[in-house]
Amino acid sequence: MSSNHWGELNEQDLRTRLLSRNGMEVGLVPVGATEQHGPHLPTATDTIIAEAICDRVAAATDCLVLPAISIACSYGHGHQLAGTVSATPELLVLMVRQYAEWAAQSGLKKLLFVNAHYGNGAALSVATDHLRYHRPDLQSNYVDWYSADPEGLAEITSDGADIHANRGETSVMLAISPDLVDTGRMLSADDPDRTEDLVFRYTATSLSTNGVTGRPSEATPELGHRLIGLAVAAIADRVERGRKETPPLTNHRVVNGDR
């Protein structure tokens, strides 16, 4: 069976696949980060989660998964906690634009960026905004895995809206890569969300004693599998609908003051 991973396909098989889909192929780009995730999770947590979600969506829908963006916007973590490697928001905007434009050269003109790090949202929004204006021949958007399904979002924010290495995220890692979770440290890593009602924004060490927001001590692999299932189903639905989607209006001209 042919791989769903762009990087595992040779040029001929990739071209044949894209041509056979007649412009209806959807590509997923995992967008993660490399940043501190408290004392119990690896710095690649967001990238690992984004890739795992994309792999499961691809298995369900037979879509393509492009190489992950693993260095993204992590300014919010500052430099006092070890492990963070960040790009500027402007650089992530350019990277996303380049992904779309280069993928289109091979015939892939529908891209969905699957994001696992809250701090990437602004750059992903700017990049896809640029593309919809300057490259109307392409279709692009992004989705945060943790908010793709309302039930999943309610669950993952149950111990704080500023999710980071919390109960939900830790549960997902226990389901995906339990060997990378330090369960001993996990049980004593709880730290409350201190962002409620704040007027301004602050880096991690002004908000958390250990880089955690929430209650990872309550994490379970069972919860992780449920959250993954909800996100995969929601994103798979977007892929299936996106394959057939066209702009609601084509070549519509504004006339007689119509808006």
Side-chain angles (χ1 to χ4, degrees):
M1 184 178 294
S2 178
S3 173
N4 285 318
H5 283 259
W6 182 284
E8 295 176 359
L9 293 166
N10 60 52
E11 186 274 341
Q12 185 172 349
D13 289 343
L14 180 60
R15 186 177 299 277
T16 299
R17 175 176 177 143
L18 291 173
L19 287 173
S20 70
R21 299 295 169 96
N22 196 29
M24 296 176 64
E25 178 68 287
V26 174
L28 302 179
V29 182
V31 187
T34 301
E35 61 187 29
Q36 69 81 23
H37 264 73
H40 65 293
L41 292 181
T43 58
T45 288
D46 291 334
T47 305
I48 292 169
I49 292 176
E51 289 182 316
I53 297 288
C54 287
D55 285 347
R56 286 160 173 78
V57 173
T61 65
D62 193 30
C63 68
L64 277 171
V65 179
L66 282 77
I69 298 175
S70 60
I71 305 293
C73 300
S74 299
Y75 277 18
H77 295 276
H79 55 80
Q80 293 173 289
L81 296 167
T84 299
V85 180
S86 181
T88 65
E90 295 85 356
L91 184 57
L92 181 56
V93 169
L94 291 174
M95 177 67 78
V96 170
R97 287 168 49 187
Q98 289 290 298
Y99 252 83
E101 291 169 2
W102 278 95
Q105 295 292 330
S106 294
L108 179 59
K109 297 190 175 183
K110 293 175 181 278
L111 278 186
L112 188 61
F113 294 84
V114 179
N115 180 44
H117 172 50
Y118 182 83
N120 294 337
L124 291 170
S125 180
V126 169
T128 52
D129 200 36
H130 175 99
L131 289 166
R132 68 174 173 172
Y133 181 75
H134 291 282
R135 290 297 305 266
D137 57 314
L138 309 183
Q139 291 171 280
S140 68
N141 205 348
Y142 77 96
V143 58
D144 302 318
W145 80 265
Y146 45 82
S147 62
D149 176 86
E151 181 183 342
L153 177 62
E155 188 73 72
I156 202 169
T157 56
S158 63
D159 55 341
D162 186 32
I163 60 172
H164 191 69
N166 69 336
R167 171 176 171 265
E169 197 169 51
T170 303
S171 292
V172 170
M173 284 298 292
L174 285 172
I176 296 171
S177 299
D179 55 314
L180 296 179
V181 181
D182 189 321
T183 52
R185 291 175 177 172
M186 177 189 87
L187 296 174
S188 59
D190 292 4
D191 204 67
D193 185 351
R194 298 180 175 88
T195 61
E196 187 175 1
D197 295 328
L198 291 177
V199 174
F200 300 113
R201 304 176 70 189
Y202 303 92
T203 55
T205 50
S206 295
L207 299 168
S208 173
T209 62
N210 61 358
V212 171
T213 301
R215 298 189 297 273
S217 66
E218 299 175 1
T220 66
E222 292 76 19
L223 174 60
H225 285 297
R226 186 160 72 86
L227 291 173
I228 292 168
L230 290 169
V232 168
I235 297 171
D237 175 68
R238 285 169 168 80
V239 169
E240 297 290 10
R241 289 187 288 118
R243 282 187 163 128
K244 301 176 182 179
E245 184 175 283
T246 58
L249 297 176
T250 304
N251 296 324
H252 177 67
R253 299 180 67 183
V254 177
V255 294
N256 299 326
D258 186 23
R259 293 290 184 270

